[in-house]
mmCIF file with all atom_site columns, all heavy atoms in Angstrom:
data_model
loop_
_atom_site.group_PDB
_atom_site.id
_atom_site.type_symbol
_atom_site.label_atom_id
_atom_site.label_alt_id
_atom_site.label_comp_id
_atom_site.label_asym_id
_atom_site.label_entity_id
_atom_site.label_seq_id
_atom_site.pdbx_PDB_ins_code
_atom_site.Cartn_x
_atom_site.Cartn_y
_atom_site.Cartn_z
_atom_site.occupancy
_atom_site.B_iso_or_equiv
_atom_site.pdbx_formal_charge
_atom_site.auth_seq_id
_atom_site.auth_comp_id
_atom_site.auth_asym_id
_atom_site.auth_atom_id
_atom_site.pdbx_PDB_model_num
ATOM 1  N N   . THR A 1 56 ? 4.550  78.551 133.174 1.00 0.00 ? 256 THR A N   1
ATOM 2  C CA  . THR A 1 56 ? 4.670  79.965 132.833 1.00 0.00 ? 256 THR A CA  1
ATOM 3  C C   . THR A 1 56 ? 4.050  80.179 131.466 1.00 0.00 ? 256 THR A C   1
ATOM 4  O O   . THR A 1 56 ? 4.088  79.313 130.603 1.00 0.00 ? 256 THR A O   1
ATOM 5  C CB  . THR A 1 56 ? 6.141  80.421 132.799 1.00 0.00 ? 256 THR A CB  1
ATOM 6  O OG1 . THR A 1 56 ? 6.846  79.631 131.845 1.00 0.00 ? 256 THR A OG1 1
ATOM 7  C CG2 . THR A 1 56 ? 6.797  80.286 134.161 1.00 0.00 ? 256 THR A CG2 1
ATOM 8  N N   . THR A 1 57 ? 3.466  81.323 131.303 1.00 0.00 ? 257 THR A N   1
ATOM 9  C CA  . THR A 1 57 ? 2.887  81.679 130.019 1.00 0.00 ? 257 THR A CA  1
ATOM 10 C C   . THR A 1 57 ? 3.624  82.899 129.506 1.00 0.00 ? 257 THR A C   1
ATOM 11 O O   . THR A 1 57 ? 3.976  83.801 130.263 1.00 0.00 ? 257 THR A O   1
ATOM 12 C CB  . THR A 1 57 ? 1.389  82.002 130.143 1.00 0.00 ? 257 THR A CB  1
ATOM 13 O OG1 . THR A 1 57 ? 1.235  83.088 131.053 1.00 0.00 ? 257 THR A OG1 1
ATOM 14 C CG2 . THR A 1 57 ? 0.611  80.805 130.631 1.00 0.00 ? 257 THR A CG2 1
ATOM 15 N N   . SER A 1 58 ? 3.874  82.920 128.239 1.00 0.00 ? 258 SER A N   1
ATOM 16 C CA  . SER A 1 58 ? 4.527  84.087 127.669 1.00 0.00 ? 258 SER A CA  1
ATOM 17 C C   . SER A 1 58 ? 3.695  84.585 126.498 1.00 0.00 ? 258 SER A C   1
ATOM 18 O O   . SER A 1 58 ? 3.261  83.843 125.647 1.00 0.00 ? 258 SER A O   1
ATOM 19 C CB  . SER A 1 58 ? 5.937  83.741 127.218 1.00 0.00 ? 258 SER A CB  1
ATOM 20 O OG  . SER A 1 58 ? 5.895  82.785 126.188 1.00 0.00 ? 258 SER A OG  1
ATOM 21 N N   . SER A 1 59 ? 3.439  85.858 126.533 1.00 0.00 ? 259 SER A N   1
ATOM 22 C CA  . SER A 1 59 ? 2.719  86.526 125.460 1.00 0.00 ? 259 SER A CA  1
ATOM 23 C C   . SER A 1 59 ? 3.072  88.001 125.548 1.00 0.00 ? 259 SER A C   1
ATOM 24 O O   . SER A 1 59 ? 3.969  88.403 126.280 1.00 0.00 ? 259 SER A O   1
ATOM 25 C CB  . SER A 1 59 ? 1.207  86.298 125.596 1.00 0.00 ? 259 SER A CB  1
ATOM 26 O OG  . SER A 1 59 ? 0.759  86.869 126.814 1.00 0.00 ? 259 SER A OG  1
ATOM 27 N N   . SER A 1 60 ? 2.333  88.821 124.858 1.00 0.00 ? 260 SER A N   1
ATOM 28 C CA  . SER A 1 60 ? 2.626  90.245 124.899 1.00 0.00 ? 260 SER A CA  1
ATOM 29 C C   . SER A 1 60 ? 2.157  90.871 126.207 1.00 0.00 ? 260 SER A C   1
ATOM 30 O O   . SER A 1 60 ? 2.566  91.965 126.544 1.00 0.00 ? 260 SER A O   1
ATOM 31 C CB  . SER A 1 60 ? 1.965  90.948 123.702 1.00 0.00 ? 260 SER A CB  1
ATOM 32 O OG  . SER A 1 60 ? 0.563  90.757 123.784 1.00 0.00 ? 260 SER A OG  1
ATOM 33 N N   . THR A 1 61 ? 1.325  90.173 126.936 1.00 0.00 ? 261 THR A N   1
ATOM 34 C CA  . THR A 1 61 ? 0.882  90.669 128.236 1.00 0.00 ? 261 THR A CA  1
ATOM 35 C C   . THR A 1 61 ? 1.843  90.154 129.305 1.00 0.00 ? 261 THR A C   1
ATOM 36 O O   . THR A 1 61 ? 2.587  89.208 129.068 1.00 0.00 ? 261 THR A O   1
ATOM 37 C CB  . THR A 1 61 ? -0.557 90.189 128.543 1.00 0.00 ? 261 THR A CB  1
ATOM 38 O OG1 . THR A 1 61 ? -0.560 88.764 128.539 1.00 0.00 ? 261 THR A OG1 1
ATOM 39 C CG2 . THR A 1 61 ? -1.541 90.713 127.526 1.00 0.00 ? 261 THR A CG2 1
ATOM 40 N N   . PRO A 1 62 ? 1.843  90.738 130.469 1.00 0.00 ? 262 PRO A N   1
ATOM 41 C CA  . PRO A 1 62 ? 2.746  90.264 131.520 1.00 0.00 ? 262 PRO A CA  1
ATOM 42 C C   . PRO A 1 62 ? 2.499  88.795 131.827 1.00 0.00 ? 262 PRO A C   1
ATOM 43 O O   . PRO A 1 62 ? 1.368  88.326 131.854 1.00 0.00 ? 262 PRO A O   1
ATOM 44 C CB  . PRO A 1 62 ? 2.409  91.137 132.723 1.00 0.00 ? 262 PRO A CB  1
ATOM 45 C CG  . PRO A 1 62 ? 1.737  92.341 132.168 1.00 0.00 ? 262 PRO A CG  1
ATOM 46 C CD  . PRO A 1 62 ? 1.079  91.909 130.899 1.00 0.00 ? 262 PRO A CD  1
ATOM 47 N N   . SER A 1 63 ? 3.572  88.077 132.027 1.00 0.00 ? 263 SER A N   1
ATOM 48 C CA  . SER A 1 63 ? 3.448  86.645 132.271 1.00 0.00 ? 263 SER A CA  1
ATOM 49 C C   . SER A 1 63 ? 3.273  86.380 133.758 1.00 0.00 ? 263 SER A C   1
ATOM 50 O O   . SER A 1 63 ? 3.702  87.141 134.607 1.00 0.00 ? 263 SER A O   1
ATOM 51 C CB  . SER A 1 63 ? 4.688  85.912 131.751 1.00 0.00 ? 263 SER A CB  1
ATOM 52 O OG  . SER A 1 63 ? 5.813  86.337 132.473 1.00 0.00 ? 263 SER A OG  1
ATOM 53 N N   . THR A 1 64 ? 2.630  85.260 134.042 1.00 0.00 ? 264 THR A N   1
ATOM 54 C CA  . THR A 1 64 ? 2.426  84.854 135.426 1.00 0.00 ? 264 THR A CA  1
ATOM 55 C C   . THR A 1 64 ? 3.052  83.494 135.617 1.00 0.00 ? 264 THR A C   1
ATOM 56 O O   . THR A 1 64 ? 3.156  82.694 134.694 1.00 0.00 ? 264 THR A O   1
ATOM 57 C CB  . THR A 1 64 ? 0.924  84.787 135.770 1.00 0.00 ? 264 THR A CB  1
ATOM 58 O OG1 . THR A 1 64 ? 0.311  83.842 134.890 1.00 0.00 ? 264 THR A OG1 1
ATOM 59 C CG2 . THR A 1 64 ? 0.260  86.144 135.637 1.00 0.00 ? 264 THR A CG2 1
ATOM 60 N N   . SER A 1 65 ? 3.468  83.225 136.798 1.00 0.00 ? 265 SER A N   1
ATOM 61 C CA  . SER A 1 65 ? 4.079  81.948 137.113 1.00 0.00 ? 265 SER A CA  1
ATOM 62 C C   . SER A 1 65 ? 3.413  81.391 138.358 1.00 0.00 ? 265 SER A C   1
ATOM 63 O O   . SER A 1 65 ? 3.218  82.102 139.336 1.00 0.00 ? 265 SER A O   1
ATOM 64 C CB  . SER A 1 65 ? 5.579  82.134 137.368 1.00 0.00 ? 265 SER A CB  1
ATOM 65 O OG  . SER A 1 65 ? 6.128  80.927 137.810 1.00 0.00 ? 265 SER A OG  1
ATOM 66 N N   . THR A 1 66 ? 3.046  80.141 138.305 1.00 0.00 ? 266 THR A N   1
ATOM 67 C CA  . THR A 1 66 ? 2.457  79.487 139.468 1.00 0.00 ? 266 THR A CA  1
ATOM 68 C C   . THR A 1 66 ? 3.217  78.210 139.729 1.00 0.00 ? 266 THR A C   1
ATOM 69 O O   . THR A 1 66 ? 3.729  77.576 138.817 1.00 0.00 ? 266 THR A O   1
ATOM 70 C CB  . THR A 1 66 ? 0.970  79.155 139.228 1.00 0.00 ? 266 THR A CB  1
ATOM 71 O OG1 . THR A 1 66 ? 0.884  78.274 138.114 1.00 0.00 ? 266 THR A OG1 1
ATOM 72 C CG2 . THR A 1 66 ? 0.155  80.405 138.986 1.00 0.00 ? 266 THR A CG2 1
ATOM 73 N N   . SER A 1 67 ? 3.305  77.851 140.967 1.00 0.00 ? 267 SER A N   1
ATOM 74 C CA  . SER A 1 67 ? 3.917  76.585 141.312 1.00 0.00 ? 267 SER A CA  1
ATOM 75 C C   . SER A 1 67 ? 3.087  75.931 142.397 1.00 0.00 ? 267 SER A C   1
ATOM 76 O O   . SER A 1 67 ? 2.448  76.594 143.201 1.00 0.00 ? 267 SER A O   1
ATOM 77 C CB  . SER A 1 67 ? 5.359  76.775 141.790 1.00 0.00 ? 267 SER A CB  1
ATOM 78 O OG  . SER A 1 67 ? 5.362  77.472 142.998 1.00 0.00 ? 267 SER A OG  1
#
Side-chain angles (χ1 to χ4, degrees):
T256 58
T257 59
S258 63
S259 63
S260 61
T261 59
S263 64
T264 59
S265 174
T266 60
S267 66

